[in-house]
Amino acid sequence: MPTAVPDRAAGTSGSPTEALGSARSFALPRGTGRTTARIGALTACQAALMVGMGLLITGPARGLWPLTAEDTVNERLEQARTGTLTTLSSIASEAGNTLTVIAVTLLTCLGLLLIPRLPMWRQAIFLAVAVSLQSLVFLAITESVDRNRPDVDRLDASPPTSSYTSGHTGAATALYAGLAVVALSRIRGPWRRVVAGLLLLLPLIVGAARLYRGMHHPTDVLGGLANGGLSLLIVGRALLVDRSVTAAPSAGGVPAARTADERRPGTTAVILNPTVTDEATRDDLRQILERHGHRGPVFLETTADDPGAGQTARAVREGATLVVVCGGDGTVRTVADALAESGVPLAIVPCGTGNLLARNLGLPLSPTAALDAALGGGPHRLDLGRIEGDGLTATRFAAMAGAGLDAAMMEHTDPRAKAHLGWPAYALAAIGTLRTPRMRVTIRLDGSPAIRRTARMVLVGNVGTVQGGVTLLPAARPDDGLLDLLVLDPRGPGGWLRAVRTLLRGRGKSPRPSAVHTFPADGADRRRIPVEFFAFRRAELTFDTAQSRELDGDPVGPGRRLSAEVEPDALTVLLPSREK
């Protein structure tokens, strides 16, 4: 069985608003001090490097080519000036002006923090810190390196700073290239790369404008690009890649997730699906919450129009320090999507048919037992998957998503059978979908060359076990920074038997890790392989024809495309202390 797996990372008193707003506190995110120290040390190295390059340019290397050709470049640009180009260069130069950069940074960060459907505190801090550090390094450079501006007619007033480096270019690089990083990580659809590409062009345009206007030498502009780029690299690595800072306070002062001993009871919001949670269950849950010190919980019901996202966002805005979700996989997914990156811990109370995430996290399937176990444990950071496709708006999922056989099974499961039988209703539906036509799919993982496969089913998982204790993705873990992919393509009774044997043999075992994606060749030999496993951070799946698709057990309509990527440590979940 071939595998390709990258290295793994090892009823209430008062109104809901009054209750939620009554317990607010402030706490710095965990890891802030360590991350700040690392960013500071690397920024000092950046400043030393940039100053050293400036002293080299103005000292031993000033008589060497290509530095000796810089005056010629400035003179020729002066000769090429026209009225139109001068006007355009003035506009472009303003994009890197100090006031412009400050205003755009401030407005962007406020938007990232305050728009309810975002909020992206990590991206906002990344952008603000990168722009600020670039400015600090720029000031250190201009104090240490004395370089005259080009000896041409300058179109702007010359500030009393060194020509090296270009402050406009450095600030524009930190701001607009930082916005490009945010766009690439958050925007979905065909405009994603277009928007990022246009943003990345802006620093180059600003640099060209500064050259045209006679304000800098070419190496000054290159120095500005390097300064802004290094600031982005240092801050981005610390906040967006390493994620040493695990959570940040919300706008309402919600503290980050704490250990069981440090966590103090606060206001609790219970998001529940009223179709699967009766009044007796509510009373039981209220008693358990109060026994653990969470008094006066606010119960917010989901609706057909809002299955949990609005209620969760409201709870976070109004100061909830704990969110409890009571419902099936669809309700859990919606609440987790809205709660991601907030740092507010989530307690999962399984009340649905599948309860995939609760099963994989080792939670009891009794609602009261699950809540009691979670509140007696501590916070754990879990990954989420982010998925989109044609006709499918970008959203997060907590357990699994797929196309083909499993999605067809979800589509054909009778809701009445689910209500009366529970998860065995899926098994009954599977009998009628075994003859689902084989599909052809193109798979691209983490930028590796695309591969072609035929399959009965493709399944993307953050966890590996489904109903009945069947393990489909034996290596999947919800906290390893990866998603797993199953390609199921059995042919005939013998193929099905080999597929079942492979899945049973793989239960509880992890495929051997590999640093790169390696794929078996297409052809007759590969067609004898009924099951393939892969692990990835981003996957693009393109089907030759429209296929049934599902998301955490909910059909989402047919389509020809699915794109999935992992969001590491996106969700804080309370788990029994024995869980890792």
Side-chain angles (χ1 to χ4, degrees):
M1 176 182 64
T3 61
V5 186
D7 290 330
R8 294 178 176 273
T12 62
S13 62
S15 69
T17 300
E18 291 170 344
L20 286 170
S22 63
R24 301 188 179 194
S25 59
F26 175 80
L28 283 174
R30 287 178 297 167
T32 299
R34 184 171 59 254
T35 300
T36 301
R38 184 166 69 249
I39 290 176
L42 290 174
T43 301
C45 294
Q46 172 189 343
L49 174 64
M50 296 303 303
V51 168
M53 293 298 296
L55 295 175
L56 180 65
I57 290 171
T58 58
R62 68 177 181 271
L64 303 177
W65 188 91
L67 296 178
T68 53
E70 288 193 300
D71 290 341
T72 302
V73 172
N74 289 111
E75 291 167 359
R76 289 183 177 178
L77 286 173
E78 181 185 29
Q79 296 168 4
R81 290 174 183 170
T82 66
T84 300
L85 289 177
T86 299
T87 301
L88 292 175
S89 71
S90 177
I91 297 172
S93 182
E94 284 300 310
N97 182 277
T98 300
L99 293 179
T100 302
V101 170
I102 292 174
V104 174
T105 303
L106 180 61
L107 291 174
T108 302
C109 291
L110 288 175
L112 290 171
L113 291 172
L114 299 181
I115 294 176
R117 284 296 296 165
L118 295 177
M120 301 181 190
W121 70 266
R122 195 183 298 271
Q123 286 76 12
I125 294 175
F126 156 71
L127 194 63
V129 173
V131 172
S132 300
L133 288 185
Q134 178 280 144
S135 299
L136 290 176
V137 174
F138 167 74
L139 292 176
I141 295 169
T142 57
E143 288 295 320
S144 304
V145 180
D146 184 16
R147 190 181 198 190
N148 294 328
R149 296 186 180 273
D151 188 18
V152 296
D153 180 26
R154 294 188 286 276
L155 299 180
D156 296 324
S158 299
T161 56
S162 171
S163 180
Y164 177 89
T165 62
S166 171
H168 281 64
T169 307
T173 302
L175 172 59
Y176 301 115
L179 288 174
V181 171
V182 175
L184 287 171
S185 66
R186 292 302 179 183
I187 296 178
R188 297 295 178 265
W191 290 102
R192 174 172 174 261
R193 290 185 174 85
V194 174
V195 171
L198 291 175
L199 287 169
L200 289 173
L201 277 177
L202 284 176
L204 301 178
I205 293 173
V206 170
R210 301 303 286 170
L211 285 175
Y212 175 89
R213 301 182 69 79
M215 302 307 297
H216 293 285
H217 306 279
T219 48
D220 302 334
V221 171
L222 292 176
L225 292 170
N227 188 33
L230 287 171
S231 293
L232 285 177
L233 181 63
I234 291 170
V235 180
R237 178 62 185 265
L239 294 179
L240 304 182
V241 178
D242 294 343
R243 289 177 176 255
S244 300
V245 180
T246 57
S250 73
V254 180
R258 303 175 182 178
T259 65
D261 291 336
E262 294 172 328
R263 194 174 61 252
R264 290 182 296 177
T267 304
T268 299
V270 183
I271 315 296
L272 59 89
N273 184 339
T275 65
V276 295
T277 310
D278 57 24
E279 193 62 38
T281 301
R282 296 191 196 192
D283 290 339
D284 291 341
L285 297 178
R286 183 181 294 109
Q287 292 177 17
I288 292 173
L289 284 166
E290 292 184 350
R291 188 164 70 241
H292 284 271
H294 298 271
R295 305 195 180 280
V298 178
F299 286 78
L300 304 173
E301 294 186 356
T302 66
T303 65
D305 294 331
D306 190 345
Q311 296 87 340
T312 305
R314 170 187 169 188
V316 172
R317 287 197 307 271
E318 295 178 350
T321 56
L322 172 66
V323 172
V324 179
V325 57
C326 309
D329 288 317
T331 305
V332 172
R333 181 191 65 78
T334 303
V335 172
D337 181 26
L339 203 59
E341 301 286 2
S342 70
V344 180
L346 175 68
I348 300 172
V349 177
C351 297
T353 303
N355 303 314
L356 286 184
L357 187 59
R359 292 174 188 272
N360 282 271
L361 296 178
L363 287 168
L365 296 184
S366 162
T368 53
L371 180 59
D372 190 46
L375 295 178
H380 294 253
R381 303 291 292 186
L382 301 183
D383 307 331
L384 290 176
R386 190 174 182 89
I387 197 161
E388 66 164 333
D390 48 326
L392 175 61
T393 303
T395 187
R396 298 179 178 93
F397 68 95
M400 295 180 179
L405 181 63
D406 68 319
M409 179 182 68
M410 304 298 176
E411 289 180 350
H412 289 84
T413 299
D414 190 328
R416 291 171 299 180
K418 285 175 58 177
H420 289 88
L421 299 177
W423 69 261
Y426 291 123
L428 294 177
I431 297 174
T433 58
L434 287 177
R435 297 185 63 83
T436 299
R438 181 175 282 105
M439 57 185 165
R440 292 196 64 84
V441 56
T442 301
I443 303 171
R444 185 184 298 275
L445 304 179
D446 296 329
S448 296
I451 61 169
R452 292 280 289 172
R453 290 291 186 265
T454 59
R456 294 286 187 184
M457 175 178 78
V458 293
L459 188 67
V460 174
N462 190 36
V463 295
T465 301
V466 296
Q467 295 87 349
V470 178
T471 299
L472 297 180
L473 292 162
R477 289 178 51 195
D479 58 356
D480 61 357
L482 296 169
L483 296 176
D484 287 68
L485 173 66
L486 164 69
V487 179
L488 181 68
D489 189 27
R491 296 169 183 264
W496 281 103
L497 288 174
R498 288 195 300 274
V500 171
R501 187 167 60 247
T502 297
L503 293 173
L504 291 176
R505 187 172 63 243
R507 183 175 180 178
K509 300 178 181 178
S510 297
R512 289 176 299 173
S514 170
V516 296
H517 294 294
T518 56
F519 304 112
D522 291 318
D525 290 339
R526 203 217 64 78
R527 285 197 288 269
R528 288 198 293 267
I529 301 170
V531 183
E532 289 182 279
F533 298 115
F534 306 101
F536 63 88
R537 294 176 179 84
R538 179 171 177 83
E540 302 280 347
L541 308 177
T542 305
F543 309 103
D544 286 8
T545 58
Q547 300 294 324
S548 299
R549 300 176 298 182
E550 61 90 7
L551 190 60
D552 277 352
D554 290 335
V556 292
R560 295 188 57 231
R561 184 173 64 85
L562 283 176
S563 298
E565 64 179 311
V566 67
E567 291 190 357
D569 298 336
L571 184 68
T572 302
V573 177
L574 295 185
L575 296 178
S577 56
R578 68 179 182 275
E579 293 296 327
K580 175 92 167 150

